Amino acid sequence: MCLIRYRLRLSKWRDSKMHGIWVGVCTPGNEPHMLPILWQNSSLTHWQISYCILALYTLCDLQFSIKLLLKSKNTDHLKFFTKALDVENGLTVTRICACVSQVTFPVRVFKLLGVETLMVTNAAGSLADSYSCGDIMIICDHINFPGLAGLNPLNGPNDDKFGPRFPPMSGVYDKSLRKMAFDICKNMGVSQYVQEGVYCMVGGPNFESIAEARFLHRLGVDAVGMSTAPEVLVASHCGMRVFGLSLITNKVVKSYEDNESVNHEAVLEVSKMRSEMLQTLVTELISRMDINNNTA
Ligand SMILES: O=P(O)(O)O[C@H]1O[C@H](CO)[C@@H](O)[C@H]1O
Ligand SMILES: Nc1nc2[nH]cnc2c(=O)[nH]1
């Protein structure tokens, strides 16, 4: 099961007209609540971009939800997309994808397209007692549970063109981008909602049992979800810079006395509530990055 969202930068192709494209891949019933940017300042024509998106869409057998974020008044891009994808007002199509190599395939395609930075966002349940629903956790590290158990997108022969056979996983979440995100949140006056912590990916699609929640909590997990780690792993393997955010949509039940239980609708609700704030944060983060040399 996946819900992946990429924020990509094609620093080689620039054009001031197009600010970016936000792309998400959603599981059924999932709103594309936080959508990262695919193209930033691209000098490709709108049909070339559309073609690339459609190619990715076909190649990866994934369906993208697409929203254009245009600085210019020219909405031809949007029209073209909606026409090409045969839907009105952008595209939101959903499908399940269960395989980690499928989920991560686009990351390598993006790498080959010249993308240098990957931004990932997810919805997650909190285990840290100090977190509240609606908090934003800047991810400083992750535990990839499926990966530890052998379900790893890097399984199989290694392609040395992308990265080493045995890649390190320390320091994957870029420090300078994390700091920048904190600064932006401070300026936005929303620091009280911002945390920094460890994300853990579990296989899902069920939410945690109480015993599992307690187990993860003892391991030092601050927030748990069902995505993100495989894409981050592959991006890091091929030398991309990574930034990740978890939106805390619920508190994971850790007590047998607690009668609450999490449900997906509540997750979507909190996501909607915070989507604007997250979009502002991500957009500001992007605008502060140095497009040319990929430094924060
Ligand atoms: O991690 P993302 O895809 O944001 O979504 C999270 O929320 C969904 C459950 O409500 C699961 O898909 C879980 O992984
Ligand atoms: N595994 C898991 N994924 C989530 N996604 C959003 N909330 C949760 C949660 O509590 N657990």
Side-chain angles (χ1 to χ4, degrees):
M1 179 83 81
C2 73
L3 173 57
I4 53 179
R5 304 170 192 91
Y6 299 109
R7 184 268 152 177
L8 304 150
R9 291 169 60 214
L10 296 180
S11 55
K12 288 176 192 159
W13 301 332
R14 303 189 63 190
D15 172 22
S16 56
K17 277 190 211 136
M18 179 165 287
H19 184 62
I21 299 173
W22 299 63
V23 172
V25 182
C26 307
T27 45
N30 233 332
E31 282 278 304
H33 44 90
M34 294 168 274
L35 300 172
I37 282 183
L38 175 60
W39 257 264
Q40 168 84 0
N41 293 325
S42 168
S43 65
L44 296 176
T45 61
H46 62 269
W47 70 263
Q48 284 172 314
I49 291 175
S50 305
Y51 181 79
C52 287
I53 297 261
L54 286 171
L56 277 176
Y57 166 91
T58 315
L59 272 172
C60 309
D61 195 25
L62 293 171
Q63 300 197 357
F64 293 89
S65 56
I66 295 170
K67 178 178 162 192
L68 297 182
L69 184 73
L70 298 171
K71 262 187 178 163
S72 72
K73 288 192 182 125
N74 182 354
T75 54
D76 285 353
H77 312 80
L78 185 57
K79 278 189 209 137
F80 187 87
F81 266 106
T82 51
K83 196 165 169 227
L85 298 168
D86 199 26
V87 284
E88 284 178 0
N89 303 321
L91 170 75
T92 303
V93 191
T94 57
R95 197 197 285 177
I96 286 181
C97 167
C99 158
V100 283
S101 49
Q102 258 184 312
V103 173
T104 54
F105 183 80
V107 176
R108 286 196 165 168
V109 176
F110 299 148
K111 172 72 184 176
L112 294 174
L113 286 170
V115 171
E116 293 156 345
T117 305
L118 179 76
M119 263 195 200
V120 286
T121 61
N122 59 54
S126 71
L127 290 150
D129 295 316
S130 57
Y131 290 9
S132 308
C133 272
D135 279 358
I136 290 168
M137 183 184 89
I138 295 173
I139 304 175
C140 62
D141 202 353
H142 73 222
I143 295 176
N144 178 12
F145 242 105
L148 292 178
L151 191 62
N152 192 310
L154 300 180
N155 279 346
N158 186 58
D159 186 341
D160 296 338
K161 285 200 297 297
F162 285 106
R165 169 73 290 182
F166 301 109
M169 278 298 131
S170 49
V172 166
Y173 294 87
D174 190 86
K175 251 192 200 155
S176 55
L177 288 177
R178 283 194 267 143
K179 183 179 176 307
M180 201 188 273
F182 271 114
D183 292 346
I184 293 167
C185 290
K186 205 169 158 198
N187 289 347
M188 286 166 64
V190 295
S191 305
Q192 70 272 30
Y193 303 120
V194 183
Q195 313 281 355
E196 186 168 61
V198 174
Y199 173 83
C200 176
M201 179 198 176
V202 293
N206 60 287
F207 293 108
E208 292 62 46
S209 70
I210 292 174
E212 286 165 347
R214 290 177 166 197
F215 169 68
L216 294 175
H217 190 216
R218 278 192 204 122
L219 285 183
V221 173
D222 296 304
V224 58
M226 309 171 198
S227 67
T228 302
E231 301 96 284
V232 167
L233 201 160
V234 168
S236 168
H237 175 250
C238 63
M240 286 162 85
R241 194 163 67 143
V242 175
F243 175 77
L245 292 173
S246 292
L247 174 62
I248 304 301
T249 51
N250 57 285
K251 286 184 86 86
V252 180
V253 178
K254 295 198 296 264
S255 159
Y256 290 102
E257 314 308 319
D258 194 338
N259 293 323
E260 294 282 308
S261 72
V262 58
N263 64 73
H264 185 58
E265 285 62 44
V267 169
L268 293 181
E269 190 129 317
V270 179
S271 304
K272 256 191 202 142
M273 179 179 95
R274 280 284 184 262
S275 66
E276 214 175 302
M277 184 169 129
L278 276 163
Q279 288 194 16
T280 309
L281 166 59
V282 170
T283 308
E284 181 61 22
L285 200 55
I286 290 161
S287 70
R288 285 198 195 185
M289 284 182 196
D290 181 335
I291 301 290
N292 283 322
N293 60 17
N294 203 25
T295 54

